[in-house]
Amino acid sequence: MKLNIPILLMTMRDGAVSDQAAQFVQRQLVSRGVESVIVDPEDYHEKKSFEQEHVQPWSEIMKAADALVIVSPEYNHSMPGPGKEMLDTLYEEYEKKPVAICGVSSGTLGGARVIEHLKTVMIELKMVAIREAMYFAKARELFNEDGTIKDASYEQWMDKMFTELFWYAHVLKAGREGKIDVGL
Ligand SMILES: Cc1cc2nc3c(=O)[nH]c(=O)nc-3n(C[C@H](O)[C@H](O)[C@H](O)COP(=O)(O)O)c2cc1C
C-alpha cells in the first residue's frame, strides 16, 4: 500500500534553511515510494490569521494523510507561530495518525528543544509522536542550494526514522479502519 505523508513546514521566514530541509525530507520520502507534498503556511496565511475557510486544502491533505512529518526551525527554544497556527486550525483530521518531527537549527542541538515542545502539542492533537527524529544541526552549512545534503550520514538516521514512522502509519491505519480487533 502506497503511503501518503505530507510535510508541514512551520516557518514563513524569507530564506529559511528549513525550506531546504523540507525539500530534502520530501525527496527521501518520494525515493521510498511515498506520496508527499510540502505544506507551506505562507500559502494559507490571510491578513489577520489562518481563517477556517482558507485552510480547506490543508484539511483535505490531512484527511487523506496516513502520517505527518513536521519540519520546524527552533526559534527562541520553541516553534514558529505560523506553523503552530496551522496545527491549531484542524483537529479530527490528525486523530490516531503518527508524526515524525525534524528540527532545524544553526546551533549544534539540531532543534532538540523545539522537537520536545512539539511532541507535547502532538499529544493534545491526538497524534502519535514517534521517538525517532531528525536533528539538522548547523543547518546553514548543511544543505546545498538544490536541497541535497552535504553529510550523507543523515540519510541513515532518516532510514531509522522512516522505518518507525511507516510501521505506525500501517498499523494505525488498520486500527482506524477497524481491521484490528482491540476488543473495545
Ligand atoms: C527568531 C529566531 C529565533 C531563533 N532562536 C533560536 C534558538 O532558540 N535556538 C537555535 O538553535 N537557533 C535559533 N535561531 C536560529 C535558527 O536556528 C536559524 O535561523 C536556522 O537557520 C533555522 O531557522 P530557519 O529555517 O528560519 O533558517 C533563531 C532564529 C530566529 C529567526
Side-chain angles (χ1 to χ4, degrees):
M1 183 197 69
K2 189 172 173 137
L3 292 172
N4 173 354
I5 306 180
I7 297 164
L8 176 63
L9 179 65
M10 295 289 281
T11 183
M12 302 198 301
R13 195 177 77 78
D14 271 343
V17 179
S18 298
D19 292 356
Q20 289 164 297
Q23 283 175 39
F24 171 69
V25 174
Q26 185 188 38
R27 280 185 198 182
Q28 294 288 319
L29 279 169
V30 170
S31 73
R32 289 166 175 82
V34 174
E35 188 181 328
S36 180
V37 292
I38 296 174
V39 179
D40 186 338
E42 201 167 349
D43 297 335
Y44 293 86
H45 193 250
E46 287 298 305
K47 267 188 188 156
K48 287 187 179 162
S49 66
F50 294 82
E51 303 289 346
Q52 204 63 41
E53 60 194 295
H54 299 303
V55 296
Q56 196 55 33
W58 165 227
S59 168
E60 298 301 328
I61 288 169
M62 270 320 296
K63 261 185 217 156
D66 302 306
L68 177 67
V69 174
I70 294 177
V71 174
S72 182
E74 179 173 294
Y75 290 166
N76 297 315
H77 293 195
S78 193
M79 65 206 77
K84 177 62 164 56
E85 277 198 74
M86 284 288 284
L87 287 168
D88 290 343
T89 56
L90 307 182
Y91 193 61
E92 292 91 3
E93 293 89 337
Y94 303 125
E95 196 170 335
K96 295 186 173 71
K97 293 179 182 177
V99 53
I101 304 170
C102 306
V104 184
S105 88
S106 51
T108 53
L109 295 181
R113 292 160 294 212
V114 68
I115 290 171
E116 294 305 307
H117 276 187
L118 274 164
K119 282 181 182 170
T120 60
V121 174
M122 295 305 111
I123 293 169
E124 199 53 29
L125 298 178
K126 293 194 172 185
M127 296 199 89
V128 179
I130 65 165
R131 173 188 172 275
E132 283 68 20
M134 291 301 296
Y135 299 85
F136 292 115
K138 298 189 179 175
R140 291 190 176 171
E141 297 99 61
L142 190 58
F143 295 100
N144 299 306
E145 289 275 305
D146 63 357
T148 53
I149 203 157
K150 291 177 187 167
D151 181 349
S153 67
Y154 278 86
E155 288 173 19
Q156 289 163 21
W157 289 109
M158 193 132 257
D159 251 337
K160 288 190 177 163
M161 186 181 84
F162 285 148
T163 300
E164 194 76 355
L165 186 67
F166 296 172
W167 188 91
Y168 277 101
H170 285 294
V171 171
L172 291 177
K173 186 182 176 80
R176 288 194 308 276
E177 291 175 350
K179 291 177 183 158
I180 299 173
D181 182 7
V182 291
L184 292 173

